[in-house]
Amino acid sequence: MLRLLIKHFRPGITLIELLVVIVIIGILAGVGGPNLGGWNCRQELKNDFSELNGFLEELKIESVTRNRTMLASVRSSGKGNNALIKAYQGPQGKKRACGSGAGWEYLGANDITDYEAESALENFSKTVCFNADASATAGSYTLGRECSGYWGTSYFQYKNQIFGATGYIEKLKYNTNKVNGKVIGWEDI
């Protein structure tokens, strides 16, 4: 008797089981899809901020290595516009006043690549110089981007603060969470 039952058993899945799996996948895609879009936007902003800090660190190192003042100059910025910062160098062995004018040599694509990002550059210093003695002109750059996701639309910001005496670049993130009814604000990364 047992032998007959085993012969007629066919392994497989039923149509109901297949429909249940499809419904579960659909629910997960409906919840996860919008979150993925927002995550992607935030990650691009983090990448842009990381590249900006790498660009500034490279200028700082090159100023000491070449014994020249290096200038970072903003060429375009603002909401809806790509951020563009170009690199220039001053004469060798001389500490140069930071700013535009004659005597700055553009480093171009063959030397230090310009910084360009899709995120908006806001609340920035027009020029920042790194000197051969490792000092810098004080300044800051803030990158921001509006991202939409499952939670709604939020505006995310990252900022660096450049200290003049040491050339140290502090990295900050704007935290919109509240503690005791007050927004936390800028905090170290």
Side-chain angles (χ1 to χ4, degrees):
M1 180 78 170
L2 183 60
R3 193 174 213 177
L4 286 173
L5 287 175
I6 293 175
K7 261 187 170 175
H8 295 289
F9 176 73
R10 289 186 180 167
I13 59 172
T14 66
L15 186 58
I16 299 287
E17 292 170 329
L18 185 60
L19 288 174
V20 167
V21 169
I22 290 172
V23 166
I24 290 171
I25 290 172
I27 291 170
L28 289 174
V31 170
N35 279 337
L36 186 60
W39 176 85
N40 209 14
C41 176
R42 289 191 316 267
Q43 192 60 42
E44 286 174 0
L45 176 61
K46 286 180 186 178
N47 290 344
D48 287 346
F49 185 67
S50 178
E51 288 173 16
L52 171 63
N53 288 315
F55 172 77
L56 294 173
E57 288 287 347
E58 183 180 6
L59 280 181
K60 184 169 103 173
I61 291 167
E62 286 297 318
S63 69
V64 174
T65 303
R66 296 179 185 196
N67 195 24
R68 294 174 181 240
T69 299
M70 297 290 184
L71 168 76
S73 178
V74 175
R75 292 296 176 211
S76 67
S77 62
K79 291 186 178 183
N81 296 329
N82 293 351
L84 176 63
I85 303 175
K86 294 189 175 243
Y88 298 86
Q89 69 180 357
Q92 189 167 6
K94 295 181 182 175
K95 191 170 183 178
R96 172 102 201 256
C98 192
S100 58
W104 291 102
E105 178 186 342
Y106 175 59
L107 294 175
N110 295 332
D111 208 345
I112 296 177
T113 307
D114 296 336
Y115 167 76
E116 191 167 4
E118 293 180 19
S119 301
L121 186 61
E122 47 198 47
N123 301 325
F124 57 90
S125 304
K126 182 75 174 162
T127 58
V128 171
C129 286
F130 294 98
N131 301 309
D133 63 357
S135 65
T137 55
S140 71
Y141 294 99
T142 303
L143 284 178
R145 197 174 221 190
E146 189 174 271
C147 299
S148 299
Y150 181 72
W151 65 88
T153 301
S154 295
Y155 198 75
F156 296 93
Q157 289 182 309
Y158 289 88
K159 172 172 123 175
N160 62 28
Q161 183 70 41
I162 303 162
F163 293 94
T166 61
Y168 175 72
I169 302 172
E170 180 183 34
K171 297 155 189 81
L172 305 165
K173 174 186 172 186
Y174 193 75
N175 188 344
T176 57
N177 294 330
K178 293 183 179 181
V179 174
N180 298 329
K182 293 183 179 181
V183 173
I184 294 173
W186 294 105
E187 61 184 12
D188 285 334
I189 296 178

